[in-house]
Amino acid sequence: MYNLDLVTGIIIAANVAMSLKGFDNRTFFERYKFNVGQIRRGDQIRMFSSGFLHVDITHLLFNMLTLYFFAHTVILQLGTLNFIIIYAASLVFGNLLALYFHKDEYWYSAVGASGAVTGILYAAILLYPEMKLYMFFVPIPIPGYVFGVGYLLYSIYGMKNRLGNIGHDAHFGGAVGGYVITLILLPSLFKTDSGHVALLAVPILILFVLYKTGKLH
């Protein structure tokens, strides 16, 4: 049985309300989506508002279900305020990374809470690295830290190969946001669980090396 905390319910309601309006009102959708050209012209609200819009019901449902399953873990350990900080920071950091990698693609657009949700997921894994996760296509439980590392390595692969119509940059940036903010809020993890802290940092170091050596794109 999972708990639906008040703050999680409010965030889910905000995502549902804005996404449904975006489905019905294309002008609204275009006004608040992430778009490199508009952001570089000074429309900074899109860095945040785009995180509450979704492409369709499936996109919305997947993100909100993921948030529902992992939000309480973070709230239980760090509290409501810190949960909000991680969510908001991960959303913005995900979009900042997407903006950085696509800064010269003025047409590039994206929507979705994936960056924020991935940040919460990665924070939960950092707090409880041995948690067991079940995937539709894998019949056995996967330790959280294995999933976290694998997910970010897949995101790097997706970024490098422009795989699918997916914002891999935002996913990766959101995870990094969740990782960094969680460690800032709970630095004792460096002492109590340094092995998992180091392991979960490996994909971040790989991305940095690939970028510095010009092998990312």
Side-chain angles (χ1 to χ4, degrees):
M1 180 69 178
Y2 292 89
N3 292 304
L4 179 62
D5 300 273
L6 177 60
V7 65
T8 308
I10 292 172
I11 290 173
I12 290 175
N15 272 275
V16 170
M18 278 199 67
S19 294
L20 290 178
K21 185 171 179 60
F23 297 158
D24 292 334
N25 187 332
R26 192 68 190 182
T27 301
F28 180 85
F29 184 88
E30 293 293 329
R31 172 65 185 85
Y32 292 107
K33 72 179 183 180
F34 178 95
N35 175 264
V36 171
Q38 294 299 329
I39 291 170
R40 292 195 61 178
R41 293 185 187 98
D43 199 359
Q44 304 297 334
I45 188 64
R46 294 170 183 263
M47 294 288 291
F48 191 76
S49 62
S50 60
F52 292 86
L53 294 170
H54 290 80
V55 174
D56 52 34
I57 289 292
T58 302
H59 187 205
L60 173 64
L61 185 62
F62 181 82
N63 276 335
M64 294 304 100
L65 279 175
T66 304
L67 178 63
Y68 170 72
F69 285 129
F70 293 98
H72 185 68
T73 298
V74 178
I75 293 171
L76 192 64
Q77 184 69 24
L78 297 177
T80 299
L81 178 59
N82 288 333
F83 166 79
I84 295 171
I85 291 172
I86 293 172
Y87 187 92
S90 298
L91 191 165
V92 173
F93 199 84
N95 280 339
L96 281 173
L97 192 65
L99 182 63
Y100 182 77
F101 281 120
H102 299 280
K103 57 182 178 294
D104 296 322
E105 302 168 30
Y106 278 60
W107 63 89
Y108 183 86
S109 297
V111 293
S114 300
V117 172
T118 305
I120 295 299
L121 169 62
Y122 220 69
I125 291 172
L126 188 57
L127 294 169
Y128 298 99
E130 297 291 348
M131 69 166 62
K132 303 301 182 183
L133 301 178
Y134 291 85
M135 308 300 295
F136 293 115
F137 48 85
V138 180
I140 57 174
I142 303 172
Y145 68 91
V146 173
F147 175 83
V149 171
Y151 182 83
L152 287 198
L153 291 176
Y154 171 75
S155 294
I156 292 173
Y157 176 78
M159 292 164 66
K160 184 174 173 57
N161 295 280
R162 301 289 182 120
L163 192 64
N165 189 27
I166 300 172
H168 297 286
D169 324 77
H171 293 185
F172 194 97
V176 173
Y179 175 84
V180 171
I181 301 299
T182 300
L183 288 175
I184 291 173
L185 294 172
L186 197 63
S188 60
L189 287 171
F190 284 111
K191 291 184 178 180
T192 61
D193 204 0
S194 58
H196 286 122
V197 169
L199 183 61
L200 288 166
V202 168
I204 301 171
L205 294 176
I206 290 175
L207 180 70
F208 179 76
V209 171
L210 287 174
Y211 175 73
K212 295 300 287 185
T213 57
K215 296 179 180 178
L216 189 58
H217 292 300

